[in-house]
Amino acid sequence: MVLTNSQPETPITNFGGNISFVPKYFYKPQTEAQVLELLNQHATGNIRVIASLHAWSDVVESEDVIVDMSHFDKVAIAKSEAGDVQVTVGGGCVLQKLLDTIHSQTNFTLPTLGAVKEQTIAGAISTGTHGSGKPSLSHYMDELRVATYDPETGKAGIYEWKNGVELRAARCAVGCMGIILSVTFRCIPQYYVEETVCRYETLEEVLAQEPEFPLQQFMLVPYLWSYFVYQRRETLKKPITPVGRVNTQLYQTYQLIGVDILFHLTLKALLSSLGSSETVRWFYKKLLPSIIVQGKTVVNESENALTMKHQLFKHLEMEVFIPARNILKATKLVQHSTSLFAGTSETVPDDVASDLSRIGLLEMLMKHRGSYTHHYPLFFRRVLPDDTLISMTSSSTEPYYTISFFTYSEPRTQFYEFAKFLAHSLTQLYDARLHWGKYYPLTNREIEHLYPPLEEFRQICKKTDPNGVFRNDYTKRVLGFDPILTQKVSPAP
Ligand SMILES: Cc1cc2nc3c(=O)[nH]c(=O)nc-3n(C[C@H](O)[C@H](O)[C@H](O)COP(=O)(O)OP(=O)(O)OC[C@H]3O[C@@H](n4cnc5c(N)ncnc54)[C@H](O)[C@@H]3O)c2cc1C
């Protein structure tokens, strides 16, 4: 079959609506031979793959060649005599389809899951997509089959990385090591999750629950400044009694209608001309605590318990990863900066002020006093170290806590100021790393020291992609690749 360039009629736009571009060439290959053909055709250009377009950073962008890998969605399941289950899945397969196929043929499941199942497997691992209480999905990849260039001949070829530093690099390569054709990983036996939502007033109390609830995640409600903790742990107890099953069903309906839909509709109304900064703060201080269902223990299948319908309303997110040793201090800075931005406080505590003035950012914070009321709970998850070169919890001996900052309002100018202040201060003071696939207001100069293997990663990419075909402005700005290599386009057809 001949590979055709079918330019999209409208610009390609991501989920958040903040990234939009028109490539010169657009391909949707159906075979590996076609992938190699397009790589050879554009060996001096710039190629990026698009998947579900759920990333908020400009990681996906290319003005030259875009490749849609959605035809590569086959799932092959292998069961060993010992009872292990290994899955090989096409890079363009969406997580929901992958889960459905695994569940229809086995009683196994994915080793971890983020909040939604809309991403593709290759897109998810390329930016280190994660949930809470485990490493990211990238960590679990045993083998990657990738189309890229031969360093000797410059010709396109297919490579399989099963071990060594190449595998660790490819597990989370931000699209820089070539086109992922398929990945192979081991599944784990299907499990249930027991969940109870509890309120706590201090972070110390929340963290003390972790040994008992290793999968827990929590939110800090702005302006109330209390924590609501989704205390979660694995259980083999299936809800078998009719009462247990009804409870689970009712809770799931409450999550969908009450949280995923009504909470977000209310928020949208408060952010429209119907609301104001005061009503947003009143909502979090007075109303939200009374409508969160607390103290009810429910058991559900892991897939249902760990995910939500966060994709229903357009939004944008920045997520910072804080090493566990710094989470108390970082959270204090976040809480007081959020109050100051909202104008509900005039100053920050002395220790926060002294940290900020040490890096020259106290004055900047004071300038923003009263300029932005953050309107979404601050979400915290715990991610364990990954065996990768550059995912956000790579080369670490301690877990990281992530803090997510979501915005549902547009224009986003004030949110961007808030996010930039937090990104700069948390990175400089507390070694925060930012999610590669989310709003990313930092440059390589500010983050290089946080990723000791970044230079090794770049050298591996230079070997597998000597002409820098898979690099773009994001990889230049953030990952520090040679700028000259990223400004090429394919020759005219
Ligand atoms: C509603 C929502 C919820 C989210 N929840 C979470 C969460 O819980 N946890 C979390 O960590 N993240 C979360 N994210 C972020 C999301 O998981 C990442 O941005 C992920 O990278 C998106 O995958 P995608 O399939 O949409 O890929 P895209 O956004 O299309 O692409 C992302 C990157 O992957 C590369 N890529 C994709 N396919 C290939 C391939 N075949 N070969 C080589 N490179 C490829 C692209 O070039 C690009 O660099 C969420 C995003 C949204 C919108």
Side-chain angles (χ1 to χ4, degrees):
M1 187 180 295
V2 180
L3 185 66
T4 51
N5 168 29
S6 51
Q7 250 201 337
E9 278 162 21
T10 51
I12 293 172
T13 304
N14 69 339
F15 170 87
N18 60 313
I19 303 291
S20 200
F21 57 97
V22 182
K24 213 159 136 196
Y25 302 89
F26 184 92
Y27 300 109
K28 207 167 166 177
Q30 302 198 22
T31 62
E32 292 188 347
Q34 289 184 338
V35 175
L36 296 181
E37 183 189 329
L38 78 87
L39 290 193
N40 282 327
Q41 223 165 301
H42 295 278
T44 59
N46 267 149
I47 302 175
R48 297 296 281 180
V49 178
I50 55 162
S52 301
L53 287 163
H54 269 41
W56 286 280
S57 61
D58 48 337
V59 66
V60 83
E61 227 173 290
S62 168
E63 310 270 307
D64 190 28
V65 182
I66 280 292
V67 183
D68 175 338
M69 291 293 285
S70 52
H71 287 308
F72 288 70
D73 65 346
K74 292 207 174 47
V75 183
I77 298 176
K79 294 180 200 164
S80 77
E81 278 180 15
D84 290 337
V85 168
Q86 203 179 39
V87 171
T88 298
V89 53
C93 186
V94 171
L95 296 182
Q96 182 67 73
K97 179 183 169 190
L98 173 57
L99 279 163
D100 290 347
T101 313
I102 298 170
H103 293 169
S104 70
Q105 295 181 31
T106 71
N107 53 359
F108 280 65
T109 193
L110 292 186
T112 187
L113 262 183
V116 297
K117 301 169 278 184
E118 316 290 303
Q119 310 95 320
T120 62
I121 185 73
I125 64 165
S126 292
T127 64
T129 296
H130 65 93
S132 194
K134 297 197 175 178
S136 78
L137 205 45
S138 308
H139 171 84
Y140 296 97
M141 299 300 114
D142 289 334
E143 189 177 328
L144 283 100
R145 188 173 160 84
V146 174
T148 187
Y149 296 98
D150 182 323
E152 304 293 320
T153 63
K155 288 266 170 240
I158 292 176
Y159 296 83
E160 285 176 0
W161 288 309
K162 300 181 185 185
N163 47 43
V165 74
E166 281 85 6
L167 174 65
R168 294 178 61 228
R171 280 174 173 160
C172 174
V174 201
C176 298
M177 278 178 75
I179 299 185
I180 301 170
L181 302 167
S182 67
V183 301
T184 302
F185 61 91
R186 248 161 309 142
C187 291
I188 59 167
Q190 242 173 329
Y191 60 97
Y192 291 84
V193 173
E194 181 191 283
E195 173 177 305
T196 315
V197 178
C198 293
R199 176 174 172 168
Y200 293 94
E201 301 309 319
T202 68
L203 184 51
E204 287 85 345
E205 288 172 282
V206 175
L207 302 183
Q209 306 304 313
E210 264 169 20
E212 216 182 320
F213 302 102
L215 300 182
Q216 79 175 19
Q217 58 185 47
F218 51 97
M219 60 179 179
L220 176 57
V221 175
Y223 319 114
L224 174 69
W225 302 120
S226 291
Y227 294 88
F228 287 83
V229 184
Y230 295 80
Q231 294 183 328
R232 289 176 178 168
R233 60 182 165 203
E234 287 186 25
T235 174
L236 296 173
K237 273 189 294 176
K238 209 172 162 178
I240 37 169
T241 63
V243 175
R245 280 205 296 268
V246 170
N247 261 342
T248 303
Q249 200 54 52
L250 283 176
Y251 190 70
Q252 216 166 294
T253 309
Y254 151 78
Q255 285 291 349
L256 175 66
I257 312 259
V259 181
D260 295 337
I261 299 176
L262 287 180
F263 165 71
H264 289 91
L265 281 177
T266 309
L267 190 63
K268 295 291 270 181
L270 293 176
L271 295 172
S272 73
S273 52
L274 297 173
S276 65
S277 300
E278 285 75 27
T279 50
V280 168
R281 294 197 291 267
W282 170 83
F283 174 71
Y284 283 117
K285 263 171 127 159
K286 302 288 180 200
L287 196 58
L288 190 72
S290 59
I291 53 180
I292 295 177
V293 173
Q294 295 172 54
K296 191 173 174 55
T297 300
V298 173
V299 174
N300 206 342
E301 285 164 15
S302 59
E303 179 186 339
N304 295 332
L306 302 177
T307 61
M308 57 192 296
K309 297 274 182 272
H310 218 193
Q311 72 277 14
L312 291 181
F313 296 91
K314 180 171 142 190
H315 62 271
L316 178 137
E317 178 188 349
M318 179 178 84
E319 189 175 33
V320 297
F321 286 63
I322 313 281
R325 66 179 182 280
N326 291 332
I327 189 60
L328 290 174
K329 280 181 158 192
T331 306
K332 190 168 178 185
L333 183 144
V334 168
Q335 173 176 338
H336 290 284
S337 305
T338 307
S339 296
L340 205 119
F341 261 84
T344 58
S345 66
E346 297 288 307
T347 54
V348 290
D350 287 348
D351 51 343
V352 177
S354 132
D355 276 357
L356 285 173
S357 67
R358 187 156 49 82
I359 54 167
L361 287 182
L362 184 59
E363 209 179 314
M364 187 208 258
L365 175 63
M366 290 304 165
K367 273 198 202 138
H368 286 299
R369 190 165 46 199
S371 66
Y372 171 70
T373 296
H374 189 58
H375 54 259
Y376 205 80
L378 307 171
F379 260 94
F380 292 66
R381 292 182 278 185
R382 189 169 68 111
V383 190
L384 305 187
D386 286 345
D387 187 15
T388 62
L389 275 197
I390 64 154
S391 69
M392 290 76 72
T393 63
S394 60
S395 41
S396 173
T397 50
E398 63 183 324
Y400 278 72
Y401 287 93
T402 71
I403 314 179
S404 286
F405 304 91
F406 294 92
T407 178
Y408 280 75
S409 68
E410 291 184 64
R412 296 171 174 143
T413 327
Q414 300 304 331
F415 171 80
Y416 288 148
E417 290 303 314
F418 174 64
K420 272 184 216 161
F421 167 77
L422 290 170
H424 285 287
S425 53
L426 292 170
T427 301
Q428 288 181 52
L429 289 172
Y430 308 125
D431 294 341
R433 297 171 172 184
L434 268 58
H435 194 303
W436 298 130
K438 302 191 179 178
Y439 179 62
Y440 208 105
L442 301 178
T443 62
N444 175 259
R445 198 168 46 80
E446 293 149 299
I447 61 132
E448 177 82 23
H449 67 286
L450 296 169
Y451 292 88
L454 200 45
E455 177 52 23
E456 189 180 8
F457 175 75
R458 284 191 294 260
Q459 291 309 325
I460 291 171
C461 294
K462 283 176 186 172
K463 257 196 239 155
T464 59
D465 176 24
N467 290 324
V469 171
F470 298 114
R471 295 171 218 157
N472 64 1
D473 284 349
Y474 173 96
T475 66
K476 170 175 82 175
R477 190 182 77 248
V478 176
L479 299 178
F481 280 102
D482 182 348
I484 297 156
L485 292 174
T486 67
Q487 290 167 353
K488 301 198 250 166
V489 287
S490 302

